Amino acid sequence: MAVSSEIQAPRSGRVAPKYTRHGSSRGNFEMLAWLFMRVSGLVLVVLIFGHLFVNLMVGEGVHAIDFGFVAGKWADPFWQIWDLAMLWLAMLHGTNGVRTIINDYADKDGTRFWLKTVLYAATAVIIVLGTLVIFTFDPCPPNAAAELLPSFCPAP
Amino acid sequence: MSKTPAGTLYRGREGMWSWVGHRVTGVAIFFFLLVHVLDTALVRVSPEAYNVVIATYKNPFMALLEAGLVAAIVFHAFNGLRIILVDFWKKGPKYQAQLLWGVVGLWVLVMVPFLIRHLTLAFTGGH
Ligand code: HEM
Ligand code: HEM
């Protein structure tokens, strides 16, 4: 018999209540997570491609990156918001993706629980740290060698 | 494809390999991002600390790793758009395999100019 490689389109999202596998307490979380992966993916294409283009392709590319380069970018709220959105969306998208993978491969309840606990802890630390770095950044730290600082810093 | 077990629509074909590729690149990018936020956080330690660490990114060996990272993210991004099309576009499921060749084509189209520019910069010191 000929085997067709065509994959059928998913059917309607509405599922009769008697077929849902979980009580109402879990609500629509998995569906929202599924949707979030797609929406965040669309936005991330723009944010990450823009990030890579500006940091690797323009001017001297990676050679231009140093403290002064970062200070110059984050002096502009446009790049602060850009990086903030990229940080949050990429971390939440990546964390949810890794959560799916843990659910797929870790069979034991205990293993799954601990892997996810470590995952969520790492995610929380990185998101908080990255956010603080963007908003507490000081482009002209005192006692730093002037030649390392961006040109707009007041002369010491 | 004679090795394909009879009766499977999926195993060993475009759908499976794109799924494997998407999963591997997704995890790799995730771990890169954890390290990347940490190295960027060095701007809060001191300009010297940041510059010293970033300087290690500028040698030709690291340029190859960066190229690998960009190759992974460009594949994941385009294949992610393919997944979105398969899910939301009426004809997406029917053309999922052709869409994958579109992903591969676009990937080559983006990677060739990127590699020329990035490796030129890396191996000439940016001058
Ligand atoms: C080799 C490629 C890359 C280089 C050279 C690079 C370089 C940089 C630099 C210089 C910064 C400082 C701020 C700025 O320039 O906007 C930064 C921040 C950032 N990058 Fe990248 N990047 C690369 C790839 C990526 C990728 C693939 C992602 C996403 C998955 C990413 C996500 C971020 C985020 C979220 C921040 C903000 C970090 C924070 O909040 O502290 N970068 N990157
Ligand atoms: C560049 C834009 C991106 C797009 C368009 C995109 C798109 C997608 C899509 C559509 C999925 C499938 C979700 C599902 O099967 O329900 C996915 C999964 C995933 N993504 Fe992304 N993504 C992007 C960036 C990223 C980044 C930056 C990371 C890492 C920080 C990442 C990590 C993952 C992981 C780990 C998975 C799970 C893979 C699996 O379950 O096999 N993605 N992505």
Side-chain angles (χ1 to χ4, degrees):
Chain A
M1 195 187 75
V3 176
S4 149
S5 66
E6 185 179 326
I7 294 170
Q8 295 299 324
R11 277 165 292 186
S12 146
R14 259 185 301 278
V15 176
K18 62 177 172 171
Y19 294 121
T20 54
R21 293 181 197 180
H22 49 75
S24 56
S25 63
R26 273 180 70 75
N28 284 333
F29 178 77
E30 289 301 339
M31 195 271 269
L32 288 175
W34 179 92
L35 193 61
F36 172 76
M37 290 307 273
R38 279 133 189 92
V39 175
S40 60
L42 285 175
V43 183
L44 281 169
V45 175
V46 177
L47 294 177
I48 295 181
F49 280 26
H51 184 65
L52 292 172
F53 189 78
V54 169
N55 287 6
L56 292 177
M57 297 283 100
V58 175
E60 295 190 353
V62 71
H63 291 282
I65 299 178
D66 58 13
F67 184 86
F69 175 89
V70 180
K73 274 183 90 174
W74 283 348
D76 189 342
F78 176 84
W79 288 117
Q80 287 187 315
I81 299 299
W82 186 290
D83 284 354
L84 187 72
M86 189 165 59
L87 172 75
W88 281 72
L89 289 177
M91 280 307 296
L92 293 177
H93 176 107
T95 301
N96 189 240
V98 174
R99 178 182 71 92
T100 303
I101 296 174
I102 293 174
N103 283 338
D104 277 359
Y105 297 120
D107 294 332
K108 288 207 200 78
D109 282 349
T111 319
R112 242 186 353 263
F113 173 80
W114 283 112
L115 284 175
K116 283 197 252 181
T117 304
V118 172
L119 173 70
Y120 299 152
T123 300
V125 169
I126 293 292
I127 290 184
V128 170
L129 176 70
T131 304
L132 283 176
V133 166
I134 295 175
F135 286 116
T136 66
F137 179 67
D138 178 0
C140 311
N143 312 322
E147 71 272 14
L148 299 180
L149 301 182
S151 54
F152 55 72
C153 291
Chain B
M1 295 308 288
S2 60
K3 293 239 175 74
T4 310
T8 175
L9 301 178
Y10 187 65
R11 194 161 144 200
R13 305 237 1 174
E14 291 90 343
M16 183 185 111
W17 291 114
S18 64
W19 171 80
V20 170
H22 200 77
R23 191 156 262 203
V24 170
T25 51
V27 175
I29 299 161
F30 181 72
F31 283 108
F32 160 80
L33 186 56
L34 298 183
V35 177
H36 184 49
V37 173
L38 293 177
D39 66 49
T40 301
L42 289 172
V43 294
R44 292 294 291 126
V45 175
S46 74
E48 288 82 1
Y50 184 76
N51 288 357
V52 165
V53 170
I54 293 301
T56 63
Y57 285 135
K58 300 179 185 177
N59 71 54
F61 174 71
M62 289 303 284
L64 294 179
L65 286 188
E66 286 149 24
L69 172 74
V70 173
I73 192 117
V74 171
F75 173 79
H76 188 97
F78 288 159
N79 191 56
L81 297 178
R82 168 177 164 271
I83 295 175
I84 294 171
L85 280 176
V86 170
D87 287 343
F88 289 104
W89 177 39
K90 209 162 37 162
K91 302 210 172 112
K94 183 165 170 207
Y95 292 117
Q96 62 88 13
Q98 285 89 332
L99 283 170
L100 180 62
W101 299 117
V103 167
V104 172
L106 275 180
W107 182 82
V108 173
L109 220 61
V110 169
M111 284 313 288
V112 168
F114 168 80
L115 286 176
I116 293 174
R117 174 90 180 128
H118 182 61
L119 296 179
T120 311
L121 286 168
F123 286 91
T124 59
H127 301 295

